[in-house]
Amino acid sequence: MAKSRGENGPRAPAAEGSLSGTRESLTPGSDAAAADELSSLGSDSEANGFAERRIDKFGFIVGSQGAEGALEEIPLEVLRQRESKWLDMLNNWDKWMAKKHKKIRLRCQKGIPPSLRGRAWQYLSGGKVKLQQNPGKFDELDMSPGDPKWLDVIERDLHRQFPFHEMFVSRGGHGQQDLFRVLKAYTLYRPEEGYCQAQAPIAAVLLMHMPAEQAFWCLVQICEKYLPGYYSEKLEAIQLDGEILFSLLQKVSPVAHKHLSRQKIDPLLYMTEWFMCAFARTLPWSSVLRVWDMFFCEGVKIIFRVGLVLLKHALGSPEKLKACQGQYETIEQLRSLSPKIMQEAFLVQEVVELPVTERQIEREHLIQLRRWQETRGELQCCSLPRLHGAKAILEAEPGPRPTLQPSPSIRLPPDAPLPGSKGKPKTPKQSQKEKEQWEQAKASGQLDKLPTPSQAKGAAAAGDACPPQDVLPRDAAHQDPALQDSASQDPAHHRSQDSVHHCSQESLTSQESEDTYL
């Protein structure tokens, strides 16, 4: 099969069937030399800033295939409100998952705030729990030498993953190094599966949003829970899902289904890379992120829905089929999808409204599995059943989920009400007493003598769950910067913040590394 041209950026169309052959690598096609030439963009001189270039908000070089055009910006105030809501959910994750999962799903459909996307993906996928259940496992795998046959193949694939993204533009840069570490670790973690080329773009997208260790465990969850069997040796799972997609298409778009049947086009020719890479090398980047937000929450049905929407709008009317008289023209139509149907707002709305459920997918799976067994025998890949989204993963593998607490540096004076606080109002006597203490400390110049973190250990020993009302929403920092100077003087609130700091059980390697991905 020809090599995918999608290597050069997420907008590039999928190369049909590009991953349905060998697992180790794709056979170089006519544009292999062009891809290698384009990868020279990551030379040391350019990586060190000698070549001037502009980067879009997603990290792609402006003017490249991966860069986005004009985007509809979310108002800052709306973004801050969403961040505050997501922080509240992440701080009380088990409660939200148990009682308000529908609300989480709706907020994932609206889009996860960019500053919290990496954390949210870890919580939704269960990667955070896997990391805590396996402390030090990634470091152990990272230090192991690895199987040479996989290492050579992985190394050859590194420069092909989003070469126009600032993280992967440089050969041997930190992005490519982390990608190599994650993929090598997976071959050691699942030696029976080894490495499949479609895992590389999946891991690369994760690395754009989180450190290597967290990306590794999210990759494990995708391969084992969301898309089990997709990356196994015979690629049987993806072939089954191709038949499921084609059967569902008959109900969603009979016109497209009839045309593909008449042309005898195998589903593997157009859906392999779509599904195995979760559309990371097919859609515009803003659409990729929105699809992944829903995918982590709701599972593989989102991938099916996206594929059905694309097929419906590309081949679902007689007018569009006029240009698709044969197999070649039909494949080209699916390779060069209209930007309109891939546009973020349009695509997400269509996906949300498409009535394809987990029950339908599982029913069709049983039908196609029975047909497979009748014609080809038993499956050679014995993967675990897939789980449809975050709730199914949580129910199947319950585990301790520590609360995710931010560490705010903004502290309010005693008489300043907390935004959104529903606590009892302070009495005038209490307020006056605290104000006098405030003024005395200010006059004596002892404002800096606030309690040390060790004085908050008693509060930290009480447990992981810290009162959310003690945490100032992030958006307050943007609404009133003047609060930062005055609020930092409050000893009582500082003690509360120290407690918050000790309660936080974030498993990122360091606070500094976590901030890198905000």
Side-chain angles (χ1 to χ4, degrees), residues 95-342:
K95 180 184 76 173
W96 278 86
M97 286 296 294
K99 299 180 179 179
K100 301 181 181 180
H101 178 257
K102 289 184 178 179
K103 194 69 174 179
I104 295 178
R105 186 183 67 201
L106 290 174
R107 289 179 178 174
C108 286
Q109 291 173 357
K110 288 183 178 180
I112 301 173
S115 62
L116 297 172
R117 181 166 273 127
R119 299 187 195 182
W121 286 358
Q122 292 175 54
Y123 272 75
L124 289 164
S125 67
K128 189 70 174 290
V129 172
K130 291 288 286 187
L131 186 150
Q132 292 168 346
Q133 291 173 345
N134 299 273
K137 182 65 175 179
F138 176 76
D139 292 334
E140 175 189 332
L141 298 172
D142 192 26
M143 297 298 293
S144 301
D147 189 333
K149 80 168 182 178
W150 298 125
L151 300 186
D152 292 342
V153 178
I154 292 172
E155 199 161 356
R156 288 200 302 269
D157 281 347
L158 293 179
H159 75 279
R160 299 169 179 165
Q161 311 310 321
F162 308 110
F164 291 115
H165 191 279
E166 62 175 347
M167 189 171 178
F168 303 102
V169 71
S170 177
R171 282 182 179 269
H174 72 93
Q176 291 193 11
Q177 290 179 24
D178 283 349
L179 183 58
F180 179 84
R181 294 169 60 206
V182 170
L183 296 174
K184 184 199 78 171
Y186 189 83
T187 64
L188 294 169
Y189 184 75
R190 287 286 179 261
E192 69 278 6
E193 287 190 15
Y195 167 68
C196 175
Q197 192 180 31
Q199 291 172 315
I202 296 286
V205 176
L206 294 171
L207 284 169
M208 295 177 193
H209 295 86
M210 60 192 78
E213 185 174 21
Q214 283 74 8
F216 168 75
W217 290 113
C218 283
L219 176 65
V220 168
Q221 291 297 91
I222 290 173
C223 296
E224 295 184 353
K225 302 297 194 302
Y226 288 88
L227 307 174
Y230 267 38
Y231 310 104
S232 59
E233 187 172 3
K234 301 296 182 181
L235 301 178
E236 294 172 323
I238 195 69
Q239 295 180 59
L240 269 177
D241 278 358
E243 298 301 327
I244 295 172
L245 177 71
F246 191 61
S247 180
L248 293 173
L249 181 63
Q250 186 172 14
K251 303 171 185 177
V252 173
S253 178
V255 174
H257 180 272
K258 183 178 180 180
H259 177 76
L260 291 171
S261 298
R262 188 186 301 117
Q263 299 295 337
K264 297 181 180 179
I265 299 176
D266 192 289
L268 290 178
L269 294 176
Y270 53 82
M271 58 76 65
T272 304
E273 187 170 85
W274 289 1
F275 277 49
M276 294 187 74
C277 299
F279 295 96
R281 302 200 324 190
T282 304
L283 300 173
W285 200 247
S286 58
S287 300
V288 171
L289 297 179
R290 294 290 301 277
V291 167
W292 279 47
D293 289 346
M294 296 186 290
F295 168 64
F296 275 117
C297 182
E298 303 180 58
V300 76
K301 75 176 181 184
I302 296 298
I303 304 299
F304 276 99
R305 287 184 181 182
V306 174
L308 291 168
V309 168
L310 297 181
L311 290 169
K312 173 185 174 182
H313 288 279
L315 304 172
S317 67
E319 293 77 16
K320 293 174 182 175
L321 293 180
K322 289 179 181 178
C324 305
Q325 299 301 316
Q327 283 190 357
Y328 176 80
E329 291 81 5
T330 302
I331 295 297
E332 283 301 307
Q333 180 88 340
L334 295 176
R335 281 180 174 175
S336 54
L337 293 165
S338 168
K340 178 187 174 183
I341 65 177
M342 297 190 293

Side-chain angles (χ1 to χ4, degrees), residues 499-515:
S499 173
V500 169
H501 175 74
H502 285 277
C503 288
S504 176
Q505 297 294 320
E506 270 303 287
S507 61
L508 294 173
T509 53
S510 67
Q511 185 65 36
E512 180 181 356
S513 68
E514 179 181 348
D515 292 341

Side-chain angles (χ1 to χ4, degrees), residues 376-391:
R376 310 189 198 185
E378 293 296 328
L379 295 173
Q380 297 184 22
C381 173
C382 300
S383 57
L384 296 173
R386 66 176 153 215
L387 301 177
H388 290 272
K391 189 171 181 64

Side-chain angles (χ1 to χ4, degrees), residues 47-88:
N48 293 326
F50 292 102
E52 183 179 354
R53 60 172 181 253
R54 292 184 299 122
I55 305 297
D56 70 8
K57 71 175 186 178
F58 299 119
F60 290 95
I61 299 171
V62 174
S64 68
Q65 287 176 297
E68 293 276 2
L71 295 173
E72 182 180 351
E73 295 291 340
I74 300 176
L76 184 60
E77 182 62 28
V78 174
L79 188 60
R80 293 294 175 246
Q81 290 175 0
R82 290 183 181 178
E83 285 178 340
S84 180
K85 292 175 181 178
W86 270 95
L87 280 172
D88 177 58

